[in-house]
Amino acid sequence: MWKDSETHVDLLNFDYLVEITKDIIENEDLSPCTIGVYGDWGSGKSSLVEMILKSYEDNEDFLCIKFNGWLFEDYEDAKTALLGTIIDKIKEKRNLTPQAIEGVKKLLKNINYLDLASKGLKYGVDFMLTGGLGTIADITLNQVASKLKSAGQEIKDDEIKKVLEGTFSKEEVRKNLREFQKDFEELLQETKIKKLVVFIDELDRCNHDTILETLEAIRLFLFTKGTSFIIGADERQVMYAVGKRFPEVKGNHLDIGKEYLEKMIQYPIKIPQLGIYEMEFYITSLFLQETFKKEYAELIEFLKKEREQNFIKFEISYNLIKDKFEDIDEDKLKDVLSVSKQLSSVLSNRLNGNPRHCKRFLNALSMRMKMAEFKNKNLDKKVLAKLMLIEYFKDDVFKKIGELQANENGKPKEIKLIEENKWDDVEALKLWKDDFWLKNWISSEPKLSDIDLQNYFYFTRESLQTTFFKSSYSLSSEAENILSGLQAGSDTFRHEAIKKSRNINEFESSEILKTLFLSIESSTEIDLNLLKSFLEWGKTNESLHSDTIAKLSTLPAKAIKFTFIPNIFEFGRATDKLEDIKELAGKWEKENTRLKKAIEQEVKQN
């Protein structure tokens, strides 16, 4: 298995992104600068910056700092946490002269002041409304005083009271900001730091206030020569946070979030999704790491050099590796290359080339192979990988196949019928007859009709009750926003969410459909607005059409209201699945006669 964290080894063909970022950092004419490394959740933002920081590791002129605002959230003000982290790292990494020590003390005192001023702005009015500093206020005062009397600085209680009562003047704040910038620039000169590079990670995981506070802290350094800030985030989440703080003015068609971000981030660098060849290289490299631990370092360096000759369509072949590494285990190498090719095109297309999603899939595959080994069972990795693809992307089909194999000693007859294209004799899986993706999956190697699937499903049993991947997977911020809009119960929010359907990959689309249906399933009474969201979302992608009907078919007829019928039939018309909807409605009608009139009325329209 592989650790789900950033790496400084470039398996993603990011070398050109690393170099352009370094070029901006090192260009004196562009200093100071802020660089935005933008990408979806799991796209490799942290790894890209890790490669950059690693390249400066032995350069005495550079001081590189990583700051994770999410870790400080709820514990410390974002601005002072960032400022304090920078000062602490300078103290830790540099031998300070007496003059530098004094500069650090002065800066820490200024940070404390800014922290106090921030609290004064936030809480001053509340304290004044209590009639001064009463019992509750005194507790808060003690907490603040205890927190801020640090680093040898003396903060007087009356000074804290003064701030909390909102009496610091704007002139004082401006004066301290100017002093901070001047003192900081002098500290860099005194400690011989020619380039300060601060990487701010996980910003899009923070709440909206923390995002804004962190960006405001960066503004303090925008005029300090030699500083570079790299912000790794999903830019959509950051723009959304800005938009929440500064709502759009009616009649003004400016995108406030976009405008603000463009002023803050001078040099945006967007991480593209991996293509099929890049995904195949990534998957193959991970499998090589797992299979050939001793040879891996030499293997990967060789392959990276070879890739430079044709980086767009580079493929790892058996002969390429065998010619260079004559003693390598041939069977293991063939197995690695075969499974990599089997998975790469599907994971590239269905996961939008997302490395983290891909790694989590491979970790699940590796874990199940190991579980089988512990039970002394030999599983074919290619067979397990094929089954896991259907589990990952078509879990309703996966569960149906699981039921069939359990009743037919591991060899479902319908798998053989579908492989032979005899769909007229198929019953349990006929709903997916026109599903293009399923047809490609069935036709791909290895064929499953002659394989006993019992052992394979034994080690995937948890997926027959729930979704195995759900426990280790989180939606991207964009997908979370879409889901929130669909669950809001408003036509306006629903329509806005539907518009964004193309912004996320098919796996996330499927996860949203599952989440909506889980809410429907778990409700004592089905909410019409939630059902509308489920059906409307089911229309957005052809890969969801059959899955939507499959999920509807699991609902008991007594839970269906006659007011639902028009929406359900409209889904059938919009997706070319009307015959399947009629068949489902016929079953409901037999079990719930109250639906008869509404169903007949819809059938007549066709």
Side-chain angles (χ1 to χ4, degrees), residues 9 17 21 88 90 108 113 137 148 170 197 204 283 314 317 328 331 376 384 388 425 448 471 559-560 582-583 593:
V9 179
L17 297 174
T21 309
D88 289 343
I90 291 175
L108 286 172
Y113 175 91
L148 296 179
K170 292 179 181 179
V197 183
D204 46 12
I283 292 172
F314 177 74
S317 67
I328 201 164
D331 291 334
N376 297 315
L384 180 59
M388 283 180 59
D425 299 322
L448 302 179
S471 61
I560 307 298
K582 285 180 181 178
E583 185 178 337
T593 54

Side-chain angles (χ1 to χ4, degrees), residues 542-599:
E542 189 178 348
S543 66
L544 301 178
H545 296 174
S546 296
D547 297 342
T548 302
I549 299 173
K551 293 182 189 304
L552 283 174
S553 68
T554 65
L555 293 174
K558 63 181 181 181
I560 307 298
K561 300 176 184 178
F562 71 91
T563 53
F564 298 169
I565 299 301
N567 297 97
I568 294 171
F569 268 80
E570 197 276 325
F571 169 84
R573 295 186 193 97
T575 58
D576 236 0
K577 292 284 184 182
L578 190 57
E579 291 308 311
D580 294 317
I581 291 294
K582 285 180 181 178
E583 185 178 337
L584 176 58
K587 292 177 184 176
W588 282 341
E589 186 182 343
K590 290 176 184 176
E591 299 172 26
N592 185 352
T593 54
R594 289 178 296 177
L595 302 177
K596 185 176 180 180
K597 188 174 179 181
I599 291 171

